[in-house]
């Protein structure tokens, strides 16, 4: 909980760090063809960043789960995201690559930092919990700030998300669906669903918002929560209400909405008698 609550402070540090010359030199330059890789949470942050960078016109940007990296493709730079710096699939990609690489990590002095050409260490955002929250969002804030986004409002929105009451009609749900209302927020929706699974062992799914009508709406009922990150498609709220689901769509920075989901995941876990920091079957990093 303390790690979740420290996100606005960590984000402020990341925004300041984004203009540090060493950090600017390590992150992708305008026009470079870039691939971003990671596993789990880090992969979903990679997806969000890749789509933002591409849509900003700063260069073709792809995101891959590290296990699916296409070595046949030509990239100018590969960015690896890994809190632990010890994830096997990320290490494998960095070992095989012959192009410039940048690692963004929580812990320096790890195999990932040894293999990467450039390293950005966000030690202030590293965390004890097995479940990632602030490292992931802080890394994305750094990358968004480097793209030129002004993120003061996002920080204020995160503070608001930390202050929101979590009412029983949100916590007492048996199915959680998160929708990406803009292409870059689909990665955030995937991460929100992962948080609900990891921290509270909930049944959670995610889709691009417009895909929701193409099948997933079939599972929606009175026990469902449907939460949109970003702008909702016209009329979708009525469809969800018609299926009996509880709908949330707020005019806030989507990354701040992820902070709200961190808190929801903790509350649902506690309600079910689970420890949200140490999910069953999960370790801090996957070393194969
Ligand atoms: C990646 C990751 C985490 C997940 C769990 C297992 O770790 O998949 O996202 O929550 O802790 O490892 P990393 O490469 O970012 O350290």
């Amino acid at each position: 909980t303390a790690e979740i609550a420290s996100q606005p402070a960590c984000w402020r540090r990341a925004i300041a760090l984004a203009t540090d010359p060493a950090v600017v030199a390590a992150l992708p330059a305008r026009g470079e063809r870039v691939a971003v890789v990671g596993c789990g949470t880090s992969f979903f942050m990679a997806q969000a960043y890749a789509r933002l960078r591409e849509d900003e016109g700063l260069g073709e940007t792809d995101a891959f789960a590290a296990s699916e990296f296409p070595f046949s493709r030509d990239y100018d730079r590969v960015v690896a995201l890994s809190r632990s710096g010890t994830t096997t699939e990320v290490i494998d990609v960095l070992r095989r690559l012959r192009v410039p690489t940048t690692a963004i990590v929580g812990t320096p002095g790890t195999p990932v930092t040894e293999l990467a050409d450039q390293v950005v260490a966000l030690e202030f955002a590293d965390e004890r919990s097995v479940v990632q929250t602030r490292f992931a969002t802080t890394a994305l804030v750094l990358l968004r700030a480097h793209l030129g986004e002004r993120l003061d409002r996002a920080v204020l929105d995160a503070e608001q998300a930390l202050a929101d009451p979590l009412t029983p009609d949100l916590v007492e749900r048996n199915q959680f669906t998160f929708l990406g209302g803009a292409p870059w927020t689909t990665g955030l929706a995937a991460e929100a669903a992962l948080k609900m699974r990891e921290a509270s062992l909930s049944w959670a799914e995610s889709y691009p918002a417009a895909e929701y009508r193409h099948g997933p709406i079939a599972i929606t009922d009175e026990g469902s929560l449907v939460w949109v990150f970003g702008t909702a498609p016209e009329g979708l709220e009525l469809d969800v209400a018609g299926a009996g689901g509880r709908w949330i769509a707020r005019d806030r920075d989507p990354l701040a909405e992820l902070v709200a989901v961190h808190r929801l995941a903790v509350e649902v876990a506690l309600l079910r008698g689970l420890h949200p920091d140490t999910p069953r079957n999960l370790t801090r990093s996957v070393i194969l």
Side-chain angles (χ1 to χ4, degrees):
T1 304
E3 288 168 352
I4 290 171
S6 71
Q7 288 178 100
C10 286
W11 293 10
R12 283 201 182 88
R13 285 185 71 168
I15 291 166
L17 197 60
T19 52
D20 179 304
V23 171
V24 172
L27 295 180
R30 179 181 284 268
E32 278 185 330
R33 289 194 69 210
V34 173
V36 197
V37 301
C39 295
T41 295
S42 295
F43 168 48
F44 296 138
M45 296 300 116
Q47 279 189 325
Y49 167 65
R51 191 56 198 249
L52 272 174
R53 183 174 185 269
E54 177 123 2
D55 288 351
E56 283 298 309
L58 295 173
E60 244 177 74
T61 319
D62 298 321
F64 299 101
S67 57
E68 299 191 336
F69 188 78
F71 287 96
S72 56
R73 294 214 196 152
D74 256 345
Y75 289 103
D76 299 320
R77 174 171 300 276
V78 172
V79 177
L81 271 176
S82 176
R83 177 180 68 173
S84 63
T86 56
T87 297
T88 299
E89 295 95 322
V90 176
I91 293 170
D92 285 348
V93 169
L94 291 174
R95 265 210 190 107
R96 287 182 60 184
L97 279 171
R98 296 286 168 267
V99 299
T101 53
T102 300
I104 302 174
V105 298
T107 322
T110 51
V112 165
T113 60
E114 274 153 32
L115 286 163
D117 302 313
Q118 314 256 21
V119 174
V120 178
L122 303 174
E123 286 159 278
F124 60 88
D126 202 359
E127 52 208 336
R128 306 254 309 265
S129 175
V130 167
V131 177
Q132 289 202 35
T133 54
R134 77 174 178 195
F135 171 75
T137 63
T138 301
L140 187 56
V141 164
L142 175 83
L143 290 165
R144 288 176 66 186
H146 176 255
L147 293 179
E149 276 197 72
R150 298 270 315 156
L151 292 166
D152 311 291
R153 194 195 129 192
V155 176
L156 295 178
D157 284 352
E159 281 165 352
Q160 190 58 51
L162 288 164
D164 280 344
L166 282 170
T167 48
D169 67 314
L170 301 185
V171 180
E172 291 165 11
R173 296 272 140 190
N174 51 34
Q175 200 281 326
F176 300 87
T177 295
F178 299 94
L179 302 178
W184 79 273
T185 64
T186 296
L188 299 185
E191 170 59 5
L194 183 66
K195 281 316 84 151
M196 294 306 298
R197 285 184 210 111
E198 287 181 333
S200 71
L201 309 186
S202 296
W203 171 22
E205 306 191 351
S206 67
Y207 305 92
E211 283 295 302
Y212 178 73
R213 287 187 174 110
H214 296 276
I217 194 165
I219 57 147
T220 303
D221 64 17
E222 289 71 23
S224 304
L225 177 68
V226 179
W227 191 327
V228 184
F229 283 45
T231 311
E234 185 93 26
L236 195 60
E237 179 173 3
L238 285 177
D239 292 357
V240 169
R246 171 84 163 81
W247 168 264
I248 303 183
R250 289 191 285 229
D251 181 24
R252 267 196 198 153
D253 188 278
L255 198 56
E257 287 292 85
L258 184 56
V259 173
V261 174
H262 292 157
R263 291 182 58 227
L264 178 64
V266 169
E267 281 310 306
V268 173
L270 296 177
L271 184 74
R272 297 178 182 175
L274 302 167
H275 196 304
D277 288 336
T278 50
R280 73 175 183 201
N281 310 334
L282 198 63
T283 49
R284 194 170 183 281
S285 119
V286 176
I287 303 175
L288 302 171

